[in-house]
Structures are given as structure tokens and as C-alpha cells.
Amino acid sequence: MSKEQIKIALAGNPNSGKTTLFNAFTGLKQKVGNYPGITVEKKSGKAKLSDKYNAEIIDLPGTYSLFPKSMDEQVAQQVLCNNTDEDYPDVTIVIADATNLRRSIFLLTQVIDLNMNVVLALNMVDIATKKGILVNVNLLSEELGIQVIAINARKGNGIESLKQAIIKTIDEKPKKPFLDVTKIFKGVIEKANEIRGVENNYASFLALCRQKLSGEVLNRCALNQLCKQYEIIPERIQAKETVKRYKAIDKVIFSCVKKGAPVGKHQFTKKLDDLLIHPFFGYIIFLLILFLLFQAVFSWSAYPMELIDGLFTDLSIWTANAMPKGMLNDLVVNGILAGLGGIFIFVPQIAFLFAFIAFLEDTGYMARVSFITDKLLRGVGLNGRSIIPLLSGAACAVPAIMSARTISSWKERLITIMVTPLMSCSARLPVYTLIISMIIPADDFLGFNLQGLVLMIFYLIGFVSAIGAAYLMKFIIKSKERSYYIMEMPSYKIPDWKTVIYTIVEKIKVFLFDAGKVIIAISIVLWFLSSFAPGKKFEQIEQEWSGKADAEMHIAADKLEASYAGIIGKTIEPAIKPLGFDWKIGISLITSFAAREVFVGTMSTIYSVGDDNIQSIKERLKNVKNQETGEAFFTPAVGISLMLFYAFAMQCMSTLAIVYRETKHWKWPVIQFLYMGVLAYLSSFIAYQILS
Amino acid sequence: MQKLANLAIGTKGEIRSISDSDLEQKLLEMGCTPGEKIEVVRRAPFGGPVAILVSSYVLSIRKEDALKIDVKLLKDE
Ligand SMILES: Nc1nc2c(ncn2[C@@H]2O[C@H](COP(=O)(O)OP(=O)(O)OP(=O)(O)O)[C@@H](O)[C@H]2O)c(=O)[nH]1
Ligand SMILES: [Mg+2]
């Protein structure tokens, strides 16, 4: 028997647990978290419903209604309101947060009125029970005329019943609407149906409300004419309908939901909020949390990092001895292993960073930070919601920029997108760490790890410059659009540890494999470029030095300089000399445009070519001498200049690509690349000139 | 009648009307319908947003938007 394939869409309010259910259904691991607006694009996955049915499940961004206010909500509306959309579902599951039933049912009844086949999944019943909220599922099902299934998406309870319910719904006939718009707006809906050529009262109503349903452009004129004829103001009918709908919903809620006394510690969220969004302590705690993060990233990960570094050094020595001497040995040890060691060593730090961010996201703290920072951020042309992209930009700018979709004002969203890459992302961490460990002593300062403090200062520099850049753009980018900050504050939840751990493992994998691939490729290319030279250059050098003192060392140094890599580096050296960089750093800067993480590997490869002593990266770089003075090359001036360059420069192709995708214009990534580049060059220049 | 923005934390009331059509649109669909009971639960410092409890969830809105919301005060039962 061949299987039937059906499409299922998951719709519901933000933060109601759609993605959690999606993951339970499909076994995939899309991102979940405890604040509204995690999912910002549709994602699809496969699930088996029964022996007869297979399903393609589409997870949608959360929305409060079919009147979208921001881009993520628009994505959901596109799929639900347009039966020619490729993802138009056969069955829609609306997920309702049982603690928030009144608001959840609003969207549900809109979907019912679009004549869709709907099942209601009642989620978060566990929390509702604790709060003393009792929902009469059978009565609710009767009142709404659809099947209602209580589930716990986190634990995966109720999924089987939900599957049964979906199958029963597939072939259902259209039911009577929950709210009959033809009765409220007599005559006009039928006319709108005629113009649109479809028999769908509610869809026609939405079209009359000037909702941008696709394909409506053609009918726009005729519909506007109709509005004029009936003296209809779209905003007014939308408001009127919303109020009527809520009146009808209130009746249902009144009969189906009973509120008893809360069980246990329902005051938890309130008590915690007294502290976390306290007018004074709220900010202190926020800073303290960030401070703790950097201490953790530096001190706690120091030990595992040393361990990994030692392992790689041992592995290199072992490989160098085990393999026959020659070119291949050199390529593996000085090219590949040197490059890979430069990335593996940062796994502990990345793990701490992502663990922290995942924890903040899953507890519900993000919405609080957004609440206490809205006023400040507005002053610089951003929005309270911008803090979420900014903070998650500390992990990676790519998802962070996408999460700006929840900001409804285009100007605020654009500025958020433009400045988010200034936040120091995890790819800068290796660069910072390496340089800090060379130029800053591992002392304690007032009882804190000094290196951790310096790291925090660099993250602050990123944040402050993002705010400054936003402030300037506020005056440059013009817009008359009004901006809003309307945000639900979810109650705190204990993080789902499985999810947090999974996120960390996943991020490390991406970090290692995605960056690893690039690094191996670049290490190999780089090794070739630095091991060969045009013409007979190398032979000349060997002849020149043969028999003289310290011949080997001089030969290696001169060979590198004469090699292809040396030629490239030397070409750009004049431009970066004022920043305190030599041609070897120049090569690293170039390779960093593939990805910033490559920096450490490149440095490590360049400095190990021709060096027969196998050392850890840090040792190797510490021993580099300035050719002119004979002192250590990495002075504080060079180090700080280099860190500033990495803090500001836009060296990430993926970010530029996502900025193009989100803004739909090449102008923005170009401007971003240029302004960040200028900022990087100038700040490095000034810092080096002052410090040296 | 009072403006929501001027209410102290802990004040309870009933939404009467929202005097801005664009804002009204957005708040209505989130359940802030006329007659709905609300309570002011938080106020961010420096004239930041106001958080209200409405149909059993906490919603935050900007202060100047809260100025456009008329509220009828309710006596504590
Ligand atoms: N206690 C409890 N928590 C749940 C349940 N289902 C989901 N959650 C949690 O609720 C939060 C929100 O879940 P998500 O799946 O990200 O919600 P979403 O609807 O996809 O949210 P958006 O993508 O922002 O629209 C997460 O912290 C989940 O772990 C449940 O049944 N019980
Ligand atoms: Mg989601």
C-alpha cells in the first residue's frame, strides 16, 4: 500500500512551544528558547503519522493573529492565508499555551474561519496546573467544533493522540465559522468574494483589511473601490472584528476555564523579577552576569585548553617522528596539524560561551534585558528587541542578524543588522585569547583574573562601538515609520538541560567542522605558498648561506620571505606597517577574510614553516623576534592594535551574505564592509601610534 | 479616568479605550480589548516601558504608548 503524503503546519502564538513540538514530531533539533520570536523562518521536517500517512511538518514563526506586524509574522501569514502557497497545509495544528488560552484562541479561531482543517494542541498544561488553571478539554472541543488534545511538548506526552486527531481531520468538511463576518459586515464580504473569485469569507475580509495576501495586488483597486462604496475604513473594520471575536472567545473561556488557587511557588517569577528588573539592581545584575561569563571563559577554560594544546604538541612530535622525513611530513605537521591545533584549543571557551547564552535564552531572562534596555536603545535608533540580536551576536552574527526580523520598524531593524557584527563573536575569541595570553600577564587584579578583565574590555569595546555606530546611523537612515515596543514577558522556566547540552555539542561541532574544513584547506594552500618560490630563488638562498654560521635558521627565514606567501605579504606590508603589522600578519589578515578563526591557524602555520622545533602555538609566537630590534615581536602595542583590528573589521563572508539576504540589497553589506574596515584601520593606527 | 502611563505599580483597572488606531490594532489582537482587566506590574526606570498584567500574561509597552490608553480604576476587592 502506497503511503499518502500530507502537509501539516504548526501555527500559534510566539513562545507557545511550536518548535518544541516540531522537534518531538520530526526528531530534528531546531532552536527553542524561552522568549517570543525564536523561530523567524519556516522550517520543514518529516514525520510518520501512521502506516497509511506520512507527513511533512512545517514549523512557522509565532504570530498573535493573521494581521502581521513584523517580517517573521508575515512568514506565518503567507503560509496560512494563501492556498496556492507551496507550503499550504492539509491540516494545521494550532498550539495554545494553556496558561494563556484567551490570547491563543484568537489566532485559532481566525484559522478556523479560513476554512482550514484544524486541531488544537493544548500545551504547557503542566504549568497551567501549577498556576491553578483548569481547562475542560472536552467542553472546549465542543464549543470550538474541533478536536482538542492536551500535550506536553517538552516531555513528548500526547503526541500519539495528536497524530490520531490529525488523521481524523484530514478529510473533514468545512465547518461553520467561529465568527461569521458576513453577519457583521452585511453585503460587502460577498461582493469581495466575487471580486477575488473565491468563496472564502474570512480571507476576503482579510483582503478588505488591506492585508497583503499574495495575489491581492490585482484586486487591490476593485477592493478599494468596494470599501469606498460601502464607506468602510479598513482599520476600523479590523478593530471592530477583533473586539467581536474576543467577545465570543470570552464566552468560551468563561465556560471552559476554571481558575483555582495556585499550587506551590507560583510567585517565583514575581520574586525573581523583583530582583532582575529592579530599577537599580537590575542593571548591576546584568553587568555581573556578563562579567561572570568572561571570567568563566578565561579562568575555567584555562586548564582544559592547556591539556588540548599539550595533546596537539605531543601528536605533532609523534607524527613528525613516525612519518618518513620529507615534504609530506612537513605538510602534515607544519601545515595541517599546526592549523588544526589552532582551532581545537578553543573548544572549551566556545563551550562556556554557548552554554551561557543558551542558559540565558532558555530561562526567559532575554525578555527582561530587553525590557530594561528599551529606553537606552531607543535613544540610539535601536529597539528593546535589538538587545537579543546584539547579545546573541556574541556567539555568532549570522543567526543574530536573522533574529532581528522580529523588530517591526524597518529602520530599527536595519540599524540592528548593520551594527550587530560589531559585537565580538565567538570567532574573534581565539584571536583575543591568543594575543591576550601573550601580552597580558596571568595575574590577579583585585582578585579577578586580569586576562579575563581585558577580554571583557574588548567585548565592551564591541558593544560600545555598536551603540555608537547605531547612533550615527539613526541620523543618516531616514524613515517616517513609527516604532513600537510591544513584547510579552514570559514566565521564567527551568531550562531544559537536554536542549542546552545538545545546543553546546551542536555548536562545537559546527565550530570544529565548518571552521576546520576551511582551516585545513587554507593551511594546505598556505603551506604550499610558503614552501615554494618563483624561479630558482630557494637554491640561490641555500648557496648563499652554505657553510656560514647559523645557516639553517637564516635559510629558513629567507626562504619564507622569498616564497609566494612572502611575496603576497610583502606587497601589502606598506599598508599595514603603520598599524604595527609585518608581512606575516598581513598574510593572516588576508586568510582571515575566509573566517576569522583562521587567524590562529595561519599564524601557527606561517611561523612553523621552516621551524624544526615543535612547540605549542603560544610558545612559538612568543619567541618571534622583531627583525630590527631583536626584542619580542608581539609587544603590547602590536597586540592591542591587532585585537582592535579584529574587533572592528568585517572579515566574515557568511555575515555579509546574510545581510544581503535580509536587507535584499547589496548596498547594505557593502556599506557595512566599508565602515567597519575604516573603523578597524583607524583604531589600530591610532592605538599603535600612541602605544609604541 | 486615568492614563495607563500614569498609574503606579499595583494599580488595577479596566481598559476603556485606546486613542491611537495603529496602536489599538496591535494591542487589541493581543487581548487588550475594552473592558479587560489590567494591573500595572512593572515600570522600567528612566521613563522606560511599562509592564501590565492582562488576561493572565505580562505585556510590556512603551510609556508614550501607555499614555494613549484610558483606564478606569477598580477598587481592590
Ligand atoms: N513546562 C513546559 N515547557 C514547555 C512545554 N513546551 C515547550 N516548553 C518550553 O517553552 C519554551 C518555548 O518553546 P519554543 O518551542 O521555542 O516555542 P515556539 O512556539 O517555537 O516559539 P517562537 O519560535 O518564538 O514562536 C521553551 O523554553 C520550551 O522548553 C511544555 O509542555 N511544558
Ligand atoms: Mg519556534
Side-chain angles (χ1 to χ4, degrees):
Chain A
M1 189 173 75
S2 78
K3 285 202 181 183
E4 280 190 60
Q5 182 82 26
I6 62 162
K7 279 208 169 96
I8 300 175
L10 291 176
N13 287 172
N15 212 35
S16 55
K18 295 175 296 300
T19 306
T20 314
L21 178 65
F22 175 82
N23 289 345
F25 255 128
T26 58
L28 297 175
K29 299 279 178 185
Q30 292 297 338
K31 183 174 173 184
V32 300
N34 187 19
Y35 61 83
I38 302 248
T39 310
V40 290
E41 55 177 355
K42 52 185 180 190
K43 288 271 164 68
S44 87
K46 298 217 173 325
K48 185 184 161 200
L49 290 186
S50 68
D51 291 334
K52 185 159 172 249
Y53 289 105
N54 272 342
E56 183 190 349
I57 306 202
I58 300 142
D59 184 23
L60 296 174
T63 179
Y64 293 107
S65 70
L66 295 175
F67 313 121
K69 302 184 290 295
S70 55
M71 192 188 157
D72 54 329
E73 296 190 343
Q74 226 161 345
V75 173
Q77 192 218 38
Q78 271 326 311
V79 171
L80 295 173
C81 294
N82 179 8
N83 57 13
T84 55
D85 192 283
E86 51 167 3
D87 288 324
Y88 187 78
D90 298 303
V91 177
T92 305
I93 304 175
V94 173
I95 300 181
D97 173 350
T99 62
N100 242 323
L101 204 55
R102 179 173 184 262
R103 202 192 58 206
S104 310
I105 288 188
F106 184 79
L107 175 71
L108 169 76
T109 61
Q110 283 191 308
V111 175
I112 293 178
D113 289 356
L114 280 174
N115 282 339
M116 301 178 90
N117 291 335
V118 191
V119 177
L120 173 63
L122 194 62
N123 198 20
M124 315 247 184
V125 183
D126 52 328
I127 303 178
T129 313
K130 276 191 203 132
K131 286 193 176 172
I133 301 170
L134 269 180
V135 182
N136 185 335
V137 174
N138 292 332
L139 192 57
L140 188 62
S141 162
E142 214 170 282
E143 294 269 352
L144 296 169
I146 57 165
Q147 296 179 77
V148 180
I149 312 289
I151 62 164
N152 183 328
R154 239 194 211 188
K155 293 215 178 87
N157 300 345
I159 306 278
E160 278 315 309
S161 332
L162 192 54
K163 284 184 180 172
Q164 298 304 321
I166 294 166
I167 293 171
K168 266 193 247 162
T169 317
I170 297 173
D171 298 316
E172 248 174 32
K173 294 274 164 323
K175 298 162 291 276
K176 75 174 180 45
F178 179 82
L179 187 76
D180 194 349
V181 277
T182 54
K183 293 219 176 92
I184 311 175
F185 309 102
K186 293 202 175 64
V188 61
I189 303 282
E190 289 84 348
K191 286 262 168 60
N193 273 341
E194 263 170 48
I195 292 174
R196 301 178 67 244
V198 282
E199 259 322 289
N200 191 326
N201 294 339
Y202 200 59
S204 292
F205 168 76
L206 291 178
L208 276 176
C209 293
R210 284 217 201 103
Q211 292 300 323
K212 293 191 196 75
L213 310 182
S214 47
E216 278 326 302
V217 203
L218 294 172
N219 304 324
R220 197 64 271 165
C221 266
L223 287 174
N224 282 346
Q225 203 62 43
L226 189 65
C227 284
K228 256 205 204 114
Q229 189 190 335
Y230 278 78
E231 288 174 357
I232 280 174
I233 304 163
E235 291 79 33
R236 293 322 309 165
I237 60 168
Q238 187 179 318
K240 186 171 169 193
E241 191 258 358
T242 306
V243 172
K244 291 238 172 193
R245 188 172 289 276
Y246 262 117
K247 282 222 172 92
I249 290 170
D250 280 334
K251 277 192 204 124
V252 175
I253 297 284
F254 183 76
S255 60
C256 300
V257 181
K258 295 280 164 287
K259 259 195 188 153
V263 196
K265 45 175 187 187
H266 80 294
Q267 291 289 16
F268 182 65
T269 289
K270 192 175 170 304
K271 290 249 168 66
L272 203 54
D273 270 345
D274 282 342
L275 197 64
L276 294 183
I277 43 184
H278 185 276
F280 175 69
F281 292 113
Y283 297 93
I284 303 281
I285 290 175
F286 179 50
L287 289 179
L288 222 60
I289 288 177
L290 293 186
F291 183 72
L292 196 73
L293 168 66
F294 297 113
Q295 287 295 310
V297 163
F298 239 91
S299 344
W300 302 353
S301 49
Y303 181 70
M305 282 176 74
E306 258 163 45
L307 209 72
I308 297 174
D309 203 13
L311 273 177
F312 260 88
T313 316
D314 290 348
L315 185 67
S316 301
I317 294 175
W318 181 84
T319 317
N321 292 331
M323 282 173 68
K325 284 258 174 294
M327 291 283 268
L328 194 62
N329 184 320
D330 199 33
L331 171 65
V332 170
V333 175
N334 289 332
I336 297 175
L337 280 179
L340 276 184
I343 190 99
F344 268 86
I345 179 172
F346 297 105
V347 165
Q349 289 192 324
I350 301 287
F352 273 118
L353 186 68
F354 280 101
F356 238 87
I357 291 174
F359 179 80
L360 292 185
E361 285 181 341
D362 220 23
T363 50
Y365 185 60
M366 289 297 213
R368 270 74 189 180
V369 182
S370 142
F371 180 71
I372 60 173
T373 52
D374 177 63
K375 185 74 192 188
L376 165 81
L377 293 174
R378 270 178 75 195
V380 299
L382 297 170
N383 187 294
R385 286 179 185 263
S386 307
I387 199 75
I388 293 168
L390 287 177
L391 282 184
S392 49
C396 177
V398 173
I401 283 171
M402 285 188 62
S403 70
R405 285 186 180 188
T406 62
I407 301 170
S408 60
S409 139
W410 166 241
K411 179 176 172 178
E412 289 174 343
R413 180 167 163 232
L414 181 63
I415 297 182
T416 308
I417 291 174
M418 293 297 278
V419 303
T420 295
L422 281 172
M423 296 296 290
S424 284
C425 64
S426 61
R428 274 126 159 167
L429 195 57
V431 184
Y432 291 166
T433 311
L434 183 73
I435 298 172
I436 286 178
S437 67
M438 285 194 297
I439 63 170
I440 308 284
D443 295 342
D444 275 0
F445 177 74
L446 302 176
F448 299 110
N449 179 317
L450 188 59
Q451 297 183 328
L453 277 179
V454 174
L455 182 68
M456 181 158 131
I457 290 173
F458 267 86
Y459 272 82
L460 280 179
I461 289 176
F463 181 70
V464 170
S465 59
I467 297 290
Y471 186 67
L472 289 180
M473 285 180 209
K474 176 183 159 179
F475 295 105
I476 298 168
I477 301 172
K478 294 269 171 272
S479 158
K480 285 209 176 64
E481 194 185 3
R482 256 176 76 178
S483 96
Y484 287 97
Y485 175 76
I486 298 176
M487 179 138 165
E488 178 188 358
M489 242 199 262
S491 52
Y492 288 105
K493 292 197 180 76
I494 294 172
D496 190 16
W497 297 112
K498 270 206 319 259
T499 319
V500 173
I501 290 171
Y502 181 85
T503 311
I504 301 167
V505 173
E506 206 47 28
K507 297 287 173 188
I508 291 175
K509 266 199 216 151
V510 170
F511 178 74
L512 283 184
F513 291 115
D514 286 15
K517 268 184 282 181
V518 181
I519 284 166
I520 293 188
I522 288 193
S523 304
I524 294 175
V525 172
L526 207 64
W527 179 86
F528 271 106
L529 286 180
S530 47
S531 301
F532 295 95
K536 297 231 180 297
K537 265 269 155 80
F538 279 7
E539 281 91 338
Q540 284 172 15
I541 292 170
E542 268 169 36
Q543 274 170 13
E544 198 180 311
W545 287 100
S546 72
K548 294 187 185 155
D550 287 336
E552 252 186 45
M553 200 184 87
H554 289 293
I555 289 174
D558 284 5
K559 268 188 178 174
L560 185 60
E561 218 174 313
S563 69
Y564 290 105
I567 294 169
I568 297 172
K570 284 276 177 192
T571 316
I572 63 163
E573 190 169 32
I576 54 174
K577 192 115 200 191
L579 314 183
F581 307 158
D582 66 353
W583 56 274
K584 289 186 183 178
I585 296 181
I587 298 171
S588 306
L589 290 186
I590 294 176
T591 57
S592 289
F593 278 94
R596 295 182 182 95
E597 300 94 316
V598 175
F599 171 79
V600 179
T602 308
M603 293 290 275
S604 158
T605 304
I606 290 191
Y607 286 105
S608 61
V609 167
D611 182 354
D612 279 340
N613 296 328
I614 292 166
Q615 304 161 317
S616 72
I617 305 162
K618 217 163 90 184
E619 291 299 311
R620 202 176 275 151
L621 293 187
K622 259 190 179 161
N623 293 335
V624 176
K625 295 277 181 292
N626 187 320
Q627 305 249 304
E628 285 151 33
T629 60
E631 315 241 321
F633 178 78
F634 285 96
T635 58
V638 174
I640 296 212
S641 162
L642 196 53
M643 282 200 283
L644 282 173
F645 192 88
Y646 273 85
F648 294 130
M650 170 44 111
Q651 297 160 296
C652 179
M653 296 298 167
S654 327
T655 303
L656 289 172
I658 203 80
V659 170
Y660 171 73
R661 207 181 90 185
E662 294 294 294
T663 59
K664 300 195 179 69
H665 204 298
W666 55 265
K667 163 169 110 182
W668 299 114
V670 169
I671 294 177
Q672 193 170 44
F673 182 82
L674 292 178
Y675 98 81
M676 289 177 70
V678 170
L679 198 59
Y681 194 88
L682 285 182
S683 55
S684 289
F685 178 77
I686 294 169
Y688 181 71
Q689 296 302 334
I690 291 175
L691 291 172
S692 69
Chain B
M1 203 80 81
Q2 291 264 10
K3 302 285 178 202
L4 175 57
N6 302 330
L7 303 183
I9 293 178
T11 320
K12 289 183 181 150
E14 209 179 84
I15 298 179
R16 267 308 172 77
S17 62
I18 302 171
S19 64
D20 176 302
S21 139
D22 205 30
L23 176 73
E24 182 188 20
Q25 219 62 251
K26 294 177 161 53
L27 290 180
L28 279 179
E29 62 170 60
M30 297 192 72
C32 302
T33 49
E36 193 60 20
K37 293 197 174 57
I38 55 123
E39 179 186 341
V40 180
V41 286
R42 301 275 160 200
R43 307 187 59 126
F46 318 122
V50 185
I52 57 171
L53 186 71
V54 56
S55 48
S56 75
Y57 77 98
V58 178
L59 179 69
S60 37
I61 50 177
R62 284 181 173 162
K63 197 177 156 195
E64 70 260 33
D65 287 339
L67 264 176
K68 293 173 186 148
I69 303 175
D70 279 323
V71 175
K72 188 181 112 186
L73 295 192
L74 292 178
K75 297 258 150 39
D76 258 328
E77 291 108 50

